[in-house]
Amino acid sequence: MPVPIIIDCDPGHDDALAIMLAAGDPAIDLLAITTVAGNQTVEKTTFNARRVCTVAGITGVPIAAGCARPLVQPLRVADDVHGDSGMDGPRFPDPTVGTVPGHAVDLMYRILTEHPEPVTLVPTAPLTNIALLLTRYPDAAAGIHEIVLMGGSTERGNKTPAAEFNIFIDPEAADIVFRSGVPVTMCGLNVTHQALATPDVLARLDGLGTELGGICAQLMTYFASAYKRLWGFEAPPLHDPVAVARVIDPAIVRCVDASVAVELHGQFTRGATVVDLHRYLDRPVNARVAVELDAGLFWDRVIGAVERLGARTT
Ligand code: BDR
Ligand code: CA
């Protein structure tokens, strides 16, 4: 049986591929797409989710817009990585897929309380919507099977020396999620940096011979130039689909149990995920932490999903 999920995202080049992987892989039943401010404003990330669904032929999956800013601090967008639109690079057709009325958190709550089985939440963005869901609707937790998120790192950051972008943008929200008692799997930079969109991957996407495959290759080409310019990477890491891949097949992403705390006060370390892999601290395990990616299996699933969606729209 496909796993029912809601993806909470801020598209974003890698969020776009995460949506396509979730919609195009038979192991997933994508119930909704919710958006949040992060890589760009929520207006732009919502518009981008609509553009992705339009170009990928994803219809019948509700899209709802969520929080416009982090819980406590002002929003800082990642236009250096994702451009002014949040998804610079390809030319997209005007979106024909719309949004549903109401707030993302209310849509999530409705689905969680009405769906016959517990639902997996897959956040690939700052955790503002998820924290709001858990605080506003405490009974929502009963409808959540687990939260499999992209964010944090067992090592260094990509927004500050210590903090990864999704956690750094809304540390209070991340703190609420990691302390919620809901099972959490964290796919951080230490594992997403193993998902490199190499020239071979771009050639496979382009080689699908579909409009969608070409758009994905163009998204990755833009992402590659940003990663080269900002961090000197030879190929860009496709972060967000790693969380979806973990849900599709746990064998793709090996995890270990650990305690994870979000640093809220450090002078230079606010937004860091303190992952106690070696049990130095006397803290209970509250997360599964991704440590190793099977890159071959991962890319086969991503490219397979794009191929499936592309065949439907060509
Ligand atoms: C995360 O930050 C965003 O820019 C990406 O979409 C991803 O979710 C990586 O740190
Ligand atoms: Ca993202």
Side-chain angles (χ1 to χ4, degrees), residues 10 14-15 39 82 124 150 158 164-166 189 239-240:
D10 61 345
D14 50 338
D15 302 79
N39 285 327
H82 298 275
T124 61
M150 190 282 134
N158 64 353
E164 181 278 331
F165 178 81
N166 287 341
L189 297 178
H239 308 281
D240 293 338

Side-chain angles (χ1 to χ4, degrees), residues 89-212:
R91 278 174 64 93
F92 286 93
D94 286 341
T96 52
V97 174
T99 55
V100 296
H103 195 280
V105 166
D106 295 321
L107 175 66
M108 281 193 235
Y109 181 62
R110 198 166 64 245
I111 292 172
L112 291 171
T113 47
E114 289 176 1
H115 199 75
E117 47 187 307
V119 172
T120 296
L121 301 184
V122 184
T124 61
L127 290 158
T128 321
N129 283 345
I130 310 298
L132 185 62
L133 170 77
L134 295 172
T135 47
R136 182 156 168 186
Y137 299 114
D139 59 321
I144 303 173
H145 175 59
E146 60 175 331
I147 297 172
V148 183
L149 63 90
M150 190 282 134
S153 179
T154 61
E155 299 159 3
R156 308 272 290 175
N158 64 353
K159 190 60 191 171
T160 73
E164 181 278 331
F165 178 81
N166 287 341
I167 308 296
F168 179 77
I169 293 306
D170 198 340
E172 280 74 20
D175 179 54
I176 288 170
V177 170
F178 277 101
R179 290 194 299 103
S180 66
V182 176
V184 173
T185 298
M186 174 185 123
C187 301
L189 297 178
N190 56 293
V191 74
T192 65
H193 283 184
Q194 299 169 40
L196 298 173
T198 58
D200 172 58
V201 167
L202 267 65
R204 285 175 71 187
L205 288 166
D206 230 0
L208 294 174
T210 60
E211 185 198 7
L212 188 62

Side-chain angles (χ1 to χ4, degrees), residues 202-243:
L202 267 65
R204 285 175 71 187
L205 288 166
D206 230 0
L208 294 174
T210 60
E211 185 198 7
L212 188 62
I215 284 182
C216 290
Q218 288 166 35
L219 280 169
M220 290 304 97
T221 301
Y222 183 93
F223 212 37
S225 65
Y227 263 82
K228 178 79 181 162
R229 173 171 43 84
L230 293 167
W231 290 287
F233 275 51
E234 288 305 322
L238 196 64
H239 308 281
D240 293 338
V242 172

